[in-house]
Amino acid sequence: MPEPPQLNCTFLHPTFFILTGIPGLRGAQTWLTLAFGPMYMLALLGNGALLAVVRVDPMLHQPMFLLLAMLAATDLGLASSVAPGLLAVLWFGPQPVPYAACLVQMFFVHALTAMESGVLLAMACDRAVAVGRPLHYPILVTKARVGYTALALALKAVAIVVPFPLLVARFEHFRAKTIGHAYCAHMAVVELVVGNTRANNLYGLALSLAVSGVDILGITGSYGLIAHAVLQLPTREARAKAFGTCSSHICVILAFYIPGLFSYLTHRFGHHTVPKPVHILLSNIYLLLPPALNPLIYGIRTKQIRDRLLETLTFRKSQF
């Protein structure tokens, strides 16, 4: 086991960091695996099943379901970039992570989070066109445009997140090797840096406000257009049906943004009032809860996917 960090010294480009998990909950960390372990398994099985169903059923090769597959793939990557290391720390105690691997994890966690936010915005725009201009939907929203959207979102996520590990890599000295977190979050690593971290702090703040702020404004605008179109429908049944096509997406948005905004606000403005273990616990829930819930929400509330899953399960049972 690597030696614990020494006091009153600095480290020149440490070969590893030590992830400690959730400070203050050392005795209860093992029990947290009973919560985070099933979350990760649900994320793997649920999103994997969604991807498989969309892939094998030609009837689901439509823009709406391709966007859902994009969300499922992002959820798989996001959960897998955090959960294995998190469960190892919670179960076995503090774990060393190589310096380069820490920077790679930092990149993937933040890039996939930005990607997920962008996919939710794309799905909101898709629903706005489907409800507001249903006759033009097949022309305006095509599989090719969904593919271009996926490529654009991936390139955007890479471009805006690459500076994170680069801004950290420019520092040569660290005051400690121990990261008081369960994964290599950007600000958790920056707290160990010896030097002027103003650029890191400003870029992190600007990126959070720009990415989440723009996406939230876009989603809000899309649902404003949806509400306007729904209220113009002549009957209550028609309004309920139109709104029902968006209900799953609304649940997914709330599951992603509410824990994320709460975690962000407690980190930026409530670090003196909200205990650090609570903040770190919330940040892990924020990264694992949406990937676990999203396939359940869409699997239960989307008729085409639900019917296809039931057909697959019924067919497999009839073979035994």
Side-chain angles (χ1 to χ4, degrees), residues 39-231:
M39 277 189 196
Y40 183 45
M41 291 302 299
L42 192 57
L44 289 179
L45 296 175
N47 290 293
L50 277 178
L51 286 171
V53 167
V54 173
R55 178 178 174 80
V56 302
D57 191 346
M59 297 297 293
L60 299 181
H61 293 177
Q62 303 172 29
M64 172 185 172
F65 300 108
L66 294 177
L67 287 170
L68 177 55
M70 194 191 312
L71 180 67
T74 305
D75 281 337
L76 273 177
L78 184 59
S80 296
S81 67
V82 175
L86 168 65
L87 294 174
V89 171
L90 294 179
W91 189 258
F92 299 108
Q95 296 291 308
V97 55
Y99 177 82
C102 186
L103 296 184
V104 170
Q105 185 186 44
M106 180 191 303
F107 167 78
F108 277 105
V109 168
H110 292 289
L112 289 169
T113 302
M115 180 76 180
E116 177 136 354
S117 182
V119 173
L120 292 178
L121 173 59
M123 295 175 77
C125 295
D126 171 77
R127 291 299 85 203
V129 176
V131 174
R133 303 184 65 180
L135 297 179
H136 297 89
Y137 180 82
I139 301 173
L140 296 175
V141 184
T142 63
K143 290 190 287 186
R145 288 180 177 174
V146 171
Y148 294 143
T149 299
L151 179 60
L153 290 175
L155 292 175
K156 184 197 78 169
V158 170
I160 62 178
V161 174
V162 159
F164 273 160
L166 295 180
L167 285 171
V168 172
R170 67 193 174 99
F171 293 106
E172 296 184 354
H173 296 276
F174 294 79
R175 63 173 54 91
K177 296 180 182 179
T178 302
I179 300 176
H181 213 297
Y183 62 91
C184 291
H186 173 246
M187 292 310 299
V189 178
V190 169
E191 290 176 356
L192 306 181
V193 167
V194 176
N196 187 352
T197 61
R198 183 179 179 83
N200 297 71
N201 296 329
L202 289 177
Y203 188 77
L205 177 61
L207 186 62
S208 298
L209 294 176
V211 174
S212 298
V214 169
D215 290 346
I216 290 174
L217 285 176
I219 291 171
T220 302
S222 297
Y223 273 94
L225 295 175
I226 290 171
H228 177 73
V230 168
L231 292 175

Side-chain angles (χ1 to χ4, degrees), residues 284-305:
N284 285 282
I285 291 174
Y286 161 59
L287 294 178
L288 288 178
L289 185 62
L293 288 181
N294 291 349
L296 288 179
I297 293 172
Y298 278 107
I300 292 173
R301 300 186 65 87
T302 306
K303 184 178 185 300
Q304 295 93 324
I305 293 177

Side-chain angles (χ1 to χ4, degrees), residues 229-243:
V230 168
L231 292 175
Q232 290 184 327
L233 295 175
T235 64
R236 179 179 297 179
E237 291 76 12
R239 291 194 291 270
K241 182 178 179 181
F243 186 74

